[in-house]
């Protein structure tokens, strides 16, 4: 790839703290990626404001205004293709993507998941880690494949589960690590694409 930065689009559904960690990393001129667009499937979320605050184009594509998942995904694909994104980062994006979206998009898709995959795929990961008596929890940045939360892991960070932890306390401890893991994973994938 004969360019110095890969183009990244970030998909969100909410407050966008992971998006912010990517924005902050990309602000470094040596970072091998730039964010060209942020898209939320929920209108008026704080993550969109975070993008606008730093002059990144931000769009809401509200899944509720589409009759079917396919129509919603077609709109999403059209928007992503208009930016020619090389990498799509899912950052707290709370819609499951269909295999035809994943295969149809000409970009690498990565996601951050708040567990030590392959443990605790899906929702409520922190409560499930506590319930299971796990002594460690954490987060994983992984490639997105058709099977939910099952693609190869790029970066994983661990935290201890402490005695008396609530799901909220554990989530807060893991989130600190998410903000380190996502930029690290993006940097590694971006470098790999630039070297190809
Ligand atoms: C993060 O914990 C992420 O791992 C999970 O949803 C949360 C999103 O947080 N999938 P934010 O919107 O990035 O602040």
């Amino acid at each position: 790839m004969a360019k110095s930065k890969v183009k990244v689009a970030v998909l969100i559904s909410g407050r966008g703290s992971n998006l912010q960690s990517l924005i902050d990393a990309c602000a470094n001129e040596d970072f091998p990626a730039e964010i060209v667009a942020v898209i939320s499937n929920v209108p008026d979320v704080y993550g969109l404001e975070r993008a606008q605050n730093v002059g990144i184009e931000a769009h809401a594509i509200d899944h509720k205004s589409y009759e079917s998942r396919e129509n919603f995904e077609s709109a999403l694909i059209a928007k992503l293709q208009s930016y020619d994104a090389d990498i799509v980062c899912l950052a707290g994006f709370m819609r499951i993507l269909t295999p035809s979206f994943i295969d149809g998009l000409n970009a690498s898709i990565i996601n951050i998941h708040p567990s030590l995959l392959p443990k605790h795929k899906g929702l409520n990961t922190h409560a499930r880690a506590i319930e299971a008596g796990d002594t460690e929890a954490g987060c994983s940045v992984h490639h997105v494949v058709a099977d939910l939360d099952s693609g190869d892991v790029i970066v994983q960070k661990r935290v201890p589960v402490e005695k008396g932890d609530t799901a909220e306390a554990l989530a807060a401890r893991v989130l600190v690590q998410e903000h380190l893991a996502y930029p690290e994973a993006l940097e590694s994938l971006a470098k790999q694409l630039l070297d190809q």
Side-chain angles (χ1 to χ4, degrees):
M1 210 181 257
K3 51 186 181 183
S4 61
K5 286 182 189 273
V6 300
K7 291 185 191 175
V8 175
V10 185
L11 302 189
I12 60 167
S13 301
R15 65 186 171 182
S17 70
N18 278 290
L19 163 66
Q20 188 67 54
S21 76
L22 298 177
I23 290 174
D24 294 345
C26 289
N28 179 339
E29 65 176 40
D30 296 329
F31 197 78
E34 61 175 325
I35 300 174
V36 292
V38 171
I39 303 170
S40 173
N41 68 306
V42 182
D44 301 324
V45 292
Y46 184 54
L48 289 171
E49 229 176 286
R50 293 182 193 265
Q52 285 157 349
N53 286 344
V54 292
I56 296 172
E57 292 191 22
H59 307 274
I61 299 182
D62 184 353
H63 65 277
K64 289 189 184 146
S65 52
Y66 293 85
E67 272 172 15
S68 65
R69 196 176 281 273
E70 287 67 32
N71 289 354
F72 164 67
E73 289 190 348
S74 299
L76 204 51
I77 288 195
K79 187 58 86 184
L80 290 168
Q81 282 174 344
S82 76
Y83 285 100
D84 203 17
D86 305 295
I87 300 176
V88 174
C89 291
L90 311 183
F93 181 68
M94 301 307 284
R95 299 298 291 170
I96 290 176
L97 296 167
T98 66
S100 62
F101 177 94
I102 294 164
D103 298 339
L105 193 69
N106 188 23
S108 301
I109 311 174
I110 60 176
N111 179 44
I112 186 148
H113 183 75
S115 81
L116 294 174
L117 289 173
K119 273 193 156 182
H120 309 309
K121 298 176 181 177
L123 297 174
N124 303 319
T125 53
H126 307 297
R128 285 158 60 210
I130 293 168
E131 177 70 30
D134 294 353
T135 54
E136 268 190 331
C139 62
S140 311
V141 182
H142 63 95
H143 288 279
V144 172
V145 295
D147 257 3
L148 185 68
D149 299 329
S150 296
D152 289 347
V153 168
I154 306 167
V155 169
Q156 209 160 50
K157 302 255 180 221
R158 318 175 94 83
V159 299
V161 178
E162 282 166 12
K163 232 174 161 214
D165 253 350
T166 58
E168 291 71 28
L170 180 56
R173 195 175 310 123
V174 171
L175 192 64
V176 173
Q177 297 305 312
E178 291 185 40
H179 297 161
L180 302 174
Y182 218 163
E184 201 176 306
L186 177 59
E187 180 173 26
S188 135
L189 179 61
K191 280 185 175 158
Q192 202 179 306
L193 293 185
L194 289 169
D195 284 349
Q196 276 174 7

